[in-house]
């Protein structure tokens, strides 16, 4: 029995030793697991910090790019606004030039009609006067005094004709000056 008690005691000691050994192994395994976990956490933290730094740099770059685009949009808006103002001014100028052109065309038409009408009337009057002069010349060919008188009458008729032509030109020029003066006053009022 003593032997059996001693075996039992050794067996219990072995058992306790094995249990202690198992406990030490378990503690060592737990430490290794904890160390590995801390290493993973440390790696994850460093990777996260690196990602945050990269994302921060990318964010700053994008903010700068965005600011550049906004400034470009403002410049483009100002350019478009300036071009729009210029277009409005050009449209006004075109309208004024068209009005001036129309006035000048009207003046040319009126003067042309007057000149054409005046030429017809003058030609008819001149034709009548020439026929009268010719009839007088035929009847008074031999009378020297009458010939001088006829020449003076013819010269007088020619001078009258020139006078009427000059009066028409003066009147047309006065109308043109008046129209241009009215157009200039309209331009200055606008």
């Amino acid at each position: 029995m003593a032997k059996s008690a001693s075996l039992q005691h050794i067996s219990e000691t072995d058992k306790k030793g094995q249990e202690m050994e198992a406990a030490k192994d378990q503690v060592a395994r737990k430490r290794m697991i904890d160390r590995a976990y801390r290493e993973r956490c440390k790696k994850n933290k460093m990777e996260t910090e690196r990602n945050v730094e990269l994302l921060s740099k990318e964010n700053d770059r994008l903010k700068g790019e965005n600011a550049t685009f906004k400034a470009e949009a403002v410049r483009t808006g100002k350019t478009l606004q300036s071009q729009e103002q210029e277009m409005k001014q050009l449209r006004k100028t075109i309208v004024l030039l068209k009005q001036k052109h129309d006035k000048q065309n009207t003046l040319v038409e009126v003067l042309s009609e007057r000149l054409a009408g005046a030429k017809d009337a003058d030609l008819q009057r001149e034709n009548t006067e020439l026929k009268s002069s010719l009839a007088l010349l035929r009847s008074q060919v031999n009378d020297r005094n009458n010939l001088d008188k006829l020449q003076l009458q013819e010269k007088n008729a020619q001078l009258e004709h020139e006078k009427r032509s000059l009066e028409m030109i003066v009147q047309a020029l006065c109308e043109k000056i008046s129209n241009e003066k009215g157009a200039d006053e309209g331009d200055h009022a606008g």
Side-chain angles (χ1 to χ4, degrees):
M1 254 234 152
K3 202 176 183 189
S4 138
S6 145
L7 269 178
Q8 193 177 11
H9 181 59
I10 291 175
S11 163
E12 278 180 32
T13 306
D14 279 346
K15 207 177 200 183
K16 281 183 185 179
Q18 285 177 351
E19 285 177 7
M20 280 179 63
E21 202 56 41
K24 282 182 186 179
D25 284 347
Q26 199 174 10
V27 167
R29 222 177 301 126
K30 185 174 182 333
R31 282 183 185 161
M32 275 181 40
I33 290 171
D34 287 349
R35 189 178 310 126
Y37 174 74
R38 283 192 300 274
E39 283 294 320
R40 280 195 313 270
C41 286
K42 189 175 177 182
K43 268 186 180 177
N44 284 343
K45 182 180 177 187
M46 285 177 20
E47 192 174 318
T48 301
E49 286 175 355
R50 191 175 61 236
N51 285 341
V52 165
E53 186 179 332
L54 289 173
L55 289 173
S56 179
K57 286 179 182 178
E58 179 69 10
N59 194 27
D60 290 343
R61 186 188 67 76
L62 290 173
K63 282 181 182 177
E65 212 173 284
N66 194 23
T68 302
F69 287 141
K70 283 182 180 179
E72 184 65 29
V74 168
R75 278 194 301 274
T76 302
K78 286 180 181 179
T79 301
L80 287 174
Q81 193 175 20
S82 142
Q83 288 175 347
E84 198 172 297
Q85 291 296 328
E86 191 176 332
M87 288 290 284
K88 284 181 184 177
Q89 189 60 42
L90 288 173
R91 283 187 195 112
K92 285 181 183 178
T93 303
I94 288 171
V95 167
L96 292 174
L97 288 173
K98 187 177 182 322
Q99 289 173 348
K100 192 172 186 178
H101 179 263
D102 290 346
K103 285 179 186 177
Q104 288 177 346
N105 275 350
T106 303
L107 179 63
V108 166
E109 286 175 20
V110 168
L111 291 176
S112 296
E113 288 173 9
R114 284 189 181 175
L115 284 174
K119 283 182 182 177
D120 288 346
D122 285 345
L123 288 174
Q124 288 174 355
R125 194 175 312 120
E126 191 176 333
N127 196 17
T128 304
E129 289 172 0
L130 286 173
K131 285 179 182 177
S132 298
S133 295
L134 188 59
L136 279 172
L137 277 173
R138 283 187 184 148
S139 65
Q140 301 172 346
V141 164
N142 294 333
D143 188 356
R144 180 81 176 141
N145 286 339
N146 282 340
L147 189 59
D148 289 339
K149 186 178 175 184
L150 284 175
Q151 286 176 342
L152 287 174
Q153 284 176 342
E154 185 178 325
K155 182 71 173 170
N156 189 28
Q158 184 181 0
L159 290 173
E160 282 292 322
H161 175 69
E162 287 178 17
K163 178 184 166 194
R164 281 192 301 275
S165 295
L166 290 173
E167 284 175 347
M168 282 185 57
I169 290 170
V170 168
Q171 184 180 2
L173 290 172
C174 287
E175 285 181 23
K176 181 178 180 185
I177 290 170
S178 175
N179 284 341
E180 285 177 355
K181 185 176 179 183
D184 286 345
E185 288 174 2
D187 289 345
H188 293 300

